[in-house]
Amino acid sequence: MDKLFDDLPERTSGKQRPLGRARLREPVRDEVRLQVFDLDRLIDEDHPVRVIWAYAAKVDMSAFEAAVRAREGTTGMPQTSPYLLLALWLYATTDGIGSARALARACESVSAYRWLCGDVGVNHRILSEFRNNQGARIEQLLCEHVASLSAAGLINLDEVAQDGIRIRASAGAASFRRRKTLESELAKAKALLERLSKQDDDGPWSGRRQRAARERAERVEQALANLGEVEKLREKRAKTNASQTKRQKEPRASTTAPEVRIMKMADGGFRPAYNVQFVSLPDNGIVLDVTCQTVGSDRGLAEPMAARLEKAYGRRAKRHLIDGGYQSADDIAAAEAAGTDFYCPPGKTKSGRDPCEPREGDTPPVARWRARMASQQGKDVYKRRSVCELVHAKLRNRGIDRLYVRGRDKVETWMRWFALAANILTAQRLANA
């Protein structure tokens, strides 16, 4: 028995150091290799990018194609397919990419974007121009997509929920100036623009300097105009609450993004931001409409949004679920006259009185609203409003907690891109269910 294992090596102690050089797998980068791969196999069959492309390929882009000058049988460089640009931005929005340069880099290295491009090269300028110039088209696509889901019986538009989220704007706090400083900056910008226009310099930077000076003057002028609106609003508030208005500092406006206002954020701090309003369905989170506001308060924004939904979809919701900050006697009366019931909790009173109890100065629509919110049925309906917070969660999870574009129109366009992309993936889930 002992002779069976006589040829085995002797066992060495663990403390003994090994002899010879360690054998390691080192990277080899100067070796030429020929690789054969299939682009279609880079991603799985159930990858979300396939859902995005299936939607983009069915969109009617005839208006965009009609403007293309490069035609068969003529000279000219072919343009990038609008279907590809649409799919790229939709998937990039779901992937948390908001920068055109970051998207251009992803198209060269990330498998999903390489699959979409199919060896078609794109640059950040094409991507940026396409996203910012398609605001009206994306709004139309959002409405058409929601209408198609309603016609297919996947969603019900009888009950909607509205909520706002404040998103940090692309403007620094140091860019805000008071009226006296803005007037001085405007005089300097106009003087510089006049001096540059009189120069005979035809160098490569002359046009850029003039354009920069002109844009600077336009932004300061717009900041002064918006500052005037803030001052009028403050004068209006002073009539009802003069003591609080006196404690406020002198109003300011930004020279970087004139439309931006300082708003109170969710963490209690005050920063430049936009108030983005989302209207979604409590059942599944499908977004119906998006607007971008430059006021920090939600008061008075419910009825205008309900009117927008009626214009877009040809009907009004029977129940409109909103937070307590939206409540307004005028909005409640206008909504009831149009056939919509507002569900929002009355504000708490300092005296401890039940806010749902009727009051002496209540109008009939307000009295019916208080009775509706005091009932158990009204409380059960209002509980479904919390589902609309999922839209904000999707926004945060995709890293869209800070804006990379400037201007209210561009911000609103970006939020509609997000709404459409989120709806496409949600609709696929509803169809599978």
Side-chain angles (χ1 to χ4, degrees):
M1 190 72 177
D2 296 339
K3 295 181 180 180
L4 293 175
F5 307 101
D6 290 343
D7 56 344
L8 294 178
E10 296 183 4
R11 183 176 181 180
T12 59
S13 175
K15 297 181 180 180
Q16 184 177 358
R17 301 185 63 180
L19 301 178
R21 184 180 178 182
R23 293 180 297 173
L24 304 175
R25 291 185 296 172
E26 300 287 351
V28 179
R29 302 183 179 91
D30 56 352
E31 182 178 348
V32 179
R33 295 184 180 182
L34 296 177
Q35 294 183 348
V36 179
F37 66 94
D38 184 6
L39 268 177
D40 196 55
R41 296 180 180 273
L42 290 178
I43 58 175
D44 299 333
E45 293 295 332
D46 57 348
H47 198 283
V49 72
R50 295 184 184 272
V51 179
I52 296 294
W53 175 249
Y55 167 80
K58 297 178 182 179
V59 174
D60 182 14
M61 287 288 186
S62 57
F64 190 97
E65 294 180 0
V68 177
R69 295 183 179 180
R71 297 289 174 175
E72 293 183 359
T74 62
T75 60
M77 187 69 178
Q79 294 189 12
T80 306
S81 171
Y83 304 96
L84 171 60
L85 297 176
L86 177 65
L88 282 174
W89 271 121
L90 287 174
Y91 182 69
T93 305
T94 64
D95 202 23
I97 296 180
S99 168
R101 294 180 183 271
L103 178 54
R105 290 193 296 267
C107 292
E108 299 177 355
S109 57
V110 182
S111 299
Y113 298 97
R114 290 178 60 193
W115 180 86
L116 273 177
C117 290
D119 289 337
V120 175
V122 293
N123 57 60
H124 69 275
R125 291 186 180 87
I126 296 177
L127 294 170
S128 179
E129 291 177 0
F130 183 83
R131 178 179 66 175
N132 296 332
N133 296 337
Q134 299 297 319
R137 181 58 173 152
I138 294 301
E139 183 180 8
Q140 180 183 357
L141 291 178
L142 178 62
C143 294
E144 291 176 354
H145 187 253
V146 172
S148 65
L149 295 179
S150 177
L154 295 177
I155 61 176
N156 187 357
L157 302 180
D158 289 339
E159 186 176 277
V160 300
Q162 179 179 353
D163 200 5
I165 181 173
R166 291 160 183 81
I167 305 180
R168 179 72 159 85
S170 179
S175 65
F176 284 78
R177 301 286 187 270
R178 296 178 175 86
R179 174 170 290 278
K180 184 178 180 180
T181 307
L182 288 175
E183 292 175 349
S184 176
E185 291 293 329
L186 180 59
K188 293 179 181 178
K190 288 184 177 180
L192 176 60
L193 182 60
E194 183 178 0
R195 186 168 64 253
L196 291 175
S197 61
K198 292 181 180 180
Q199 292 180 357
D200 296 333
D201 184 13
D202 296 334
W205 303 102
S206 177
R208 293 188 179 183
R209 287 197 296 266
Q210 292 185 19
R211 184 176 68 252
R214 182 172 59 255
E215 292 176 353
R216 170 72 175 179
E218 291 174 354
R219 288 197 304 269
V220 176
E221 287 181 348
Q222 189 176 359
L224 282 169
N226 292 336
L227 186 61
E229 296 178 2
V230 176
E231 293 172 346
K232 291 180 181 179
L233 181 61
R234 178 168 293 193
E235 291 177 359
K236 183 179 179 180
R237 291 178 178 175
K239 296 179 181 179
T240 58
N241 197 340
S243 59
Q244 183 179 1
T245 305
K246 289 181 179 180
R247 292 196 300 266
Q248 295 178 352
K249 297 181 180 180
E250 185 179 351
R252 300 177 298 169
S254 173
T255 56
T256 302
E259 297 174 324
V260 172
R261 305 281 180 83
I262 299 292
M263 300 183 185
K264 187 175 182 180
M265 308 299 284
D267 58 0
F270 291 84
R271 288 182 288 275
Y274 286 99
N275 185 6
V276 182
Q277 298 287 318
F278 287 96
V279 178
S280 58
L281 299 179
D283 294 336
N284 42 53
I286 290 289
V287 181
L288 304 184
D289 200 1
V290 185
T291 60
C292 181
Q293 304 294 333
T294 57
V295 292
S297 175
D298 295 331
R299 192 177 189 85
L301 299 180
E303 174 56 24
M305 181 64 80
R308 281 179 56 90
L309 294 178
E310 183 180 12
K311 182 179 179 181
Y313 302 106
R315 55 172 296 183
R316 280 232 178 191
K318 297 180 181 179
R319 296 173 296 278
H320 196 123
L321 283 56
I322 52 179
D323 200 359
Y326 290 86
Q327 58 184 356
S328 170
D330 296 337
D331 284 4
I332 292 173
E336 184 178 299
T340 300
D341 292 335
F342 275 177
Y343 286 82
C344 59
K348 297 181 180 180
T349 59
K350 296 181 179 179
S351 61
R353 179 183 177 183
D354 186 3
C356 293
E357 292 183 0
R359 301 185 182 181
E360 184 177 353
D362 285 348
T363 60
V366 174
R368 286 189 287 269
W369 161 67
R370 293 186 188 277
R372 182 166 59 249
M373 296 309 300
S375 65
Q376 186 61 39
Q377 182 266 347
K379 295 177 181 179
D380 294 340
V381 171
Y382 180 73
K383 287 181 181 179
R384 297 196 287 268
R385 190 206 66 86
S386 60
V387 181
C388 70
E389 301 286 348
L390 294 177
V391 179
H392 302 169
K394 292 179 181 179
L395 202 69
R396 300 299 189 191
N397 291 339
R398 285 160 176 76
I400 311 178
D401 54 355
R402 186 185 180 97
L403 300 170
Y404 300 102
V405 294
R406 292 174 179 173
R408 177 180 175 180
D409 294 338
K410 291 183 179 180
V411 172
E412 198 168 68
T413 298
W414 188 7
M415 293 299 103
R416 286 171 181 157
W417 278 100
F418 161 76
L420 178 58
N423 284 357
I424 293 171
L425 298 182
T426 304
Q428 180 68 19
R429 177 175 56 83
L430 294 177
N432 294 335

